[in-house]
Amino acid sequence: MNRRENIKSILLGGVSASLLSNCIFPGNEKETQKKEPPSSHNISNWNLMPDMDWAGPKYWGNRLQDWNINDGLLQCMVEGRDRTLHHLTMQIGSSRNSFKSKVAIRFSEDLTKSNQNKIGYVVGSKSWNLEYRASAIHGNGLEVGINTLGNLFIGDEEFKQNSVDKGNLTSGVVLEVSAEPLGGAYTLLLSVFDKSGKILTQLEKKDVDPNELIGNIALLCNFSEFDSENTDHLVCSFDQWELSGDKFTKNEDQIFGPLCFTQYTRQKNLVKLTAQFCPIPLPSKAKFEVKQEGKWKMIQEAEVKYPSYTAQFRFDDWSYVESTSFRISYDFKYKDGSIETFYWDGTISKEPVSKKSVKAFVASCNHDLGFPDQDIVEYASVHEPDLVLFLGDQFYEINGHFGFQTAPLEKAYLDYLRKWYMFGWSYRKLFQHVPVINLPDDHDVFQGNLFGANGIEFPKASADKRYPRDYGGYMMPPDWVNLAMTTQTSHMPDPYDSTPIERGIHVFYSNWDYGGISFGIVEDRKFKSGPAAVLPHEAEVRDAYIENPDYPIKERSFPDAHLLGTRQIDFLKEWIENWKNETEFKILLSAAPFHALQTLPDEKSNGMQPRLEIPEKGEYILGDIPVADMDSGGWPKHERDEVLKLIKKSFTLHLAGDQHLPSVTQYGIDDYQDAGYTFAVPALANSWPRRWWPPINEPMLGQPGYTGNHEDAFGNKVYVRAVANPYKTGLEPARLYDRSPGYGIVTFNKISRDIEFECWPRYVNPKNNPQGQFLGWPITVNQLENNLPVKPYFLPTIKVTGIVNPLIKIIDDQNVTQLILRINGEVFQPVMDKEGVYSVLIVDEVGETQKQLDGIKAVAISNGSELKISI
Ligand SMILES: [Fe+2]
């Protein structure tokens, strides 16, 4: 049957219906006085809402900055493609019932006339799954409504005989869509009424596939033809959106906002918590309440700040030792004076100091391919982590479609917030009851690669270049970068040195001591030098890669170039020596690992990563070479080596993300395996699959050819224990599952001082398949393996009495610390990587020496001698 034959045009005149009784367009006020209670979730109450850049908790706007409430009306503020406002609490279900949606709309006067510019609804909007959040972001459905020529449309078909005058459209009409089951299909009815309730036109479509009518329902402003110089203005106002019919399913728990989520850290008696809000009217305050003897008690109030829309709470003397329930409360004030109180609750957990093992969920790189990632949240919860670490790219600038908006600043703020909200919408349950660290990386500040160069603007030399970011600096303005810092890190321990970098950009590098683990949090992008500003032209730097195959990067050093920078190295020098009484592990956190574990077909292949053939499981790609990606932590090598030499003194292990290529490696500085281990966790989802298919070189016994000793393109020595290269899983969607997505679980065992790395594919439910980790995992490394000299020189075995787990420090004859460790028990044999005479010190948590023995010689062959120290 011809599709057009299914559509019956009905032109009706004089049929009135009291559809506009609640419409509140100006000039129609008399009909607007009926107030719906705020709890009603099937009719909008924008008429009662204050002006704000947010449509309210029942809705999700694509994009956030394109929808606001003004003078009691919902407004779409841009001529652009696919702008939608999804209803979050009402979805069109699969039952064979009917539904109806009606909304009062008023077109702006000066819209670009085109049959490609459409206002109306999307019905049955769904993503690859029917999850309401996935549908709100990735959904497609049947578009129905009126185009800016005044003609009705259903899908791609325009109906010129069903037309509405411009005068009606600009003074206001009601657009109604309803669907009734008929036989095995549905009949769709699209009707337009004028201000008095008279039907202007009506269109019927029969034989609609029931599957087309399952999913979200959204308001639509979809403009494909417009003046690109003049896009940002009022397009259409909406009011009194009313949904009815048994085909709708209703779930009021699916609201988003005004309280979005909370994030916190706890460090001894200091608790810092940031509550994230939607763009509510400001000034506003939020309250922090704890439950005491069954009652909620407010213990702190905080302003919600612009532009981050965060309320930041700080408790310098948190007195609750045990896990304590809290809630944030916020009073939303309606225009009629009524108040609706919203809550977000959670737990400030008891610090796991006395737990024998502490477990961390570790993740990075959250592309929205699998949004809202409820699979990961479900599977990660199985592990019951004590803490959560997001090590970068909490979102990508392209997440949520529409690219990203960089100006004007106010809209760029909202663009950031929408992507940040998506992250929280996915993962908020994971950190509702445990502390969380976020390490904002490059994509978190809308840059594909970030060489922060201490906060400079892109230099003039970069102006005409294709990749100005290669020259160092930030693309976005400092206030916007600070929005990213505030939303992601304001709940974290205070910065070690809060002095901003250039142009007032905030820093967050610091230590976080929790549950017996001291995390050193460093910012490996903010101070890093731009390679194009450092390397000579002949290196042919393009998009962070050295493309000249003849450029001898391994033989070149650039001593003025920075990886972490002097300030952070000074911090690390202090951090490695700073062990609290309960600290048993030192763990470094950064975005990227300190090597470039990447191969490509040749030096100029960068950019091809998403298009390279994904191999079958077990296949080995031959012909690849290691490539010089300076966006990795492998460059500049001299500072990479300096940092590794420093942190191995405290047996520090390194956790990182960024690469989208899960790996466990042992760093080498002068020799293979002469430094600590690193675990680079998988991407949660990625669009940029990296790979490691080096020429095979003595792999580990029984392990794949890519394991064993290798040099990266910068000459960094790497002992590869495991890598999860992309392979064809046979699962759909392949572009999500065939790129090694997943997460890490790291368990710190305080009895054995073992650190266990688990690496889970996102498609494996660990409950059903406990053996389902990526090939090569789990891997267990003992703390002491993070500093096992290749050419060892042995000090006598130290036996301490009178103190348990003493902090032992070994200094050389220049008074420089060479080893520092809170030992496990009372016996420890220090192994040095240099011959010489050393002093052995027992120190306390503030660094005071309790005992010192000088003149202790390190020898090449252990002679079994002992050093007894009693405290
Ligand atoms: Fe990433």
Side-chain angles (χ1 to χ4, degrees), residues 669-716:
I669 304 168
D670 301 313
D671 287 300
Y672 286 106
Q673 297 185 266
D674 66 355
Y677 271 84
T678 186
F679 178 19
V681 297
L684 294 161
N686 85 81
S687 63
W688 205 257
R690 292 195 178 88
R691 62 192 204 175
W692 175 247
W693 297 111
I696 296 172
N697 175 37
E698 294 184 28
M700 290 167 62
L701 195 63
Q703 296 298 313
Y706 48 71
T707 59
N709 287 335
H710 293 275
E711 261 191 17
D712 73 9
F714 301 108
N716 297 310

Side-chain angles (χ1 to χ4, degrees), residues 365 393 396 443 658 660:
C365 298
D393 297 348
Y396 285 80
H443 294 281
D658 173 61
H660 317 163

Side-chain angles (χ1 to χ4, degrees), residues 8 35 43 94 103 141 213 259 319-320 377 401 421 466 476-477 499 548 550 560 574 588 647 657 662 667 763 861:
K8 187 176 159 195
K35 179 198 152 192
I43 184 162
S94 55
V103 66
L213 301 180
L259 271 156
S319 56
Y320 304 93
V377 174
H401 304 284
Y421 292 155
R466 182 155 176 223
M476 295 300 288
T499 309
N548 179 359
D550 300 321
D560 295 332
E574 193 174 312
L588 185 75
I647 65 170
Y667 292 124
Y763 43 82
I861 298 171

Side-chain angles (χ1 to χ4, degrees), residues 226-253:
F226 48 84
D227 174 7
S228 57
E229 301 289 308
N230 180 31
T231 59
D232 289 0
H233 58 86
L234 176 64
V235 168
C236 186
S237 302
F238 297 83
D239 184 31
Q240 295 296 329
W241 186 13
E242 187 172 350
L243 305 176
S244 56
D246 289 342
K247 195 167 172 57
F248 278 118
T249 60
K250 185 175 183 179
N251 188 342
E252 297 196 13
D253 291 339

Side-chain angles (χ1 to χ4, degrees), residues 590-620:
S590 74
F594 298 149
H595 52 48
L597 204 70
Q598 292 179 39
T599 61
L600 285 170
D602 59 46
E603 287 84 353
K604 294 189 196 301
S605 298
N606 178 40
M608 290 171 57
Q609 287 88 338
R611 300 191 300 279
L612 292 172
E613 180 71 15
I614 303 265
E616 298 290 341
K617 191 173 187 178
E619 189 184 338
Y620 201 99

